[in-house]
Coordinates of all heavy atoms in Angstrom, one line a residue:
M95 N 63.9 122.4 95.8 CA 65.3 122.0 95.6 C 66.1 122.5 96.8 O 67.0 121.7 97.3 CB 65.8 122.7 94.4 CG 65.1 122.2 93.1 SD 65.5 122.9 91.5 CE 66.9 123.9 91.7
V96 N 65.9 123.6 97.4 CA 66.6 124.1 98.6 C 66.3 123.1 99.7 O 67.1 122.7 100.5 CB 66.2 125.5 98.9 CG1 66.8 125.9 100.3 CG2 66.8 126.4 97.8
R97 N 65.0 122.8 99.9 CA 64.6 121.8 100.9 C 65.3 120.5 100.8 O 65.8 119.9 101.8 CB 63.1 121.6 100.9 CG 62.6 120.6 101.9 CD 62.7 121.1 103.4 NE 62.3 120.0 104.3 CZ 62.9 119.8 105.4 NH1 63.9 120.4 105.8 NH2 62.5 118.8 106.2
Y98 N 65.4 120.0 99.6 CA 66.2 118.8 99.3 C 67.6 118.9 99.7 O 68.2 118.0 100.4 CB 66.0 118.4 97.8 CG 66.7 117.1 97.5 CD1 66.0 115.9 97.7 CD2 68.0 117.0 97.1 CE1 66.6 114.6 97.4 CE2 68.6 115.8 96.8 CZ 67.9 114.6 97.0 OH 68.5 113.4 96.7
A99 N 68.2 120.0 99.3 CA 69.6 120.3 99.7 C 69.8 120.3 101.3 O 70.8 119.8 101.8 CB 70.1 121.6 99.1
E100 N 68.8 120.9 102.0 CA 68.9 120.9 103.4 C 68.8 119.5 103.9 O 69.5 119.1 104.9 CB 67.7 121.7 104.0 CG 67.9 123.2 103.7 CD 66.6 124.0 104.0 OE1 65.6 123.3 104.4 OE2 66.6 125.2 104.0
L101 N 67.9 118.7 103.4 CA 67.8 117.3 103.8 C 69.1 116.5 103.6 O 69.4 115.7 104.4 CB 66.6 116.6 103.1 CG 65.2 117.2 103.5 CD1 64.1 116.6 102.5 CD2 64.9 116.8 104.9
V102 N 69.7 116.7 102.5 CA 71.0 116.0 102.2 C 72.0 116.4 103.2 O 72.7 115.5 103.8 CB 71.5 116.4 100.8 CG1 72.9 116.0 100.6 CG2 70.6 115.8 99.7
R103 N 72.1 117.6 103.6 CA 73.1 118.1 104.7 C 72.7 117.5 106.0 O 73.6 117.3 106.8 CB 73.1 119.6 104.7 CG 73.8 120.2 103.5 CD 74.1 121.7 103.8 NE 72.9 122.5 103.6 CZ 72.4 123.0 102.5 NH1 73.0 122.8 101.4 NH2 71.3 123.8 102.5
Q104 N 71.5 117.2 106.3 CA 71.1 116.6 107.5 C 71.4 115.1 107.7 O 71.5 114.6 108.8 CB 69.6 116.8 107.8 CG 69.2 118.2 108.0 CD 67.7 118.3 108.1 OE1 67.0 117.4 108.4 NE2 67.2 119.6 107.8
G105 N 71.7 114.5 106.6 CA 72.2 113.1 106.6 C 71.2 112.0 106.3 O 70.1 112.3 105.9
E106 N 71.6 110.8 106.6 CA 70.9 109.6 106.3 C 69.5 109.5 106.9 O 68.6 108.8 106.3 CB 71.7 108.3 106.6 CG 72.9 108.2 105.8 CD 73.7 106.9 106.2 OE1 73.2 106.1 107.0 OE2 74.8 106.7 105.6
S107 N 69.3 110.2 108.0 CA 68.0 110.1 108.7 C 66.9 110.7 107.8 O 65.7 110.6 108.1 CB 68.1 110.8 110.0 OG 68.3 112.1 109.9

Side-chain angles (χ1 to χ4, degrees):
M95 292 174 15
V96 171
R97 176 70 183 138
Y98 184 87
E100 290 168 354
L101 292 169
V102 168
R103 285 190 287 274
Q104 291 174 24
E106 292 179 6
S107 65

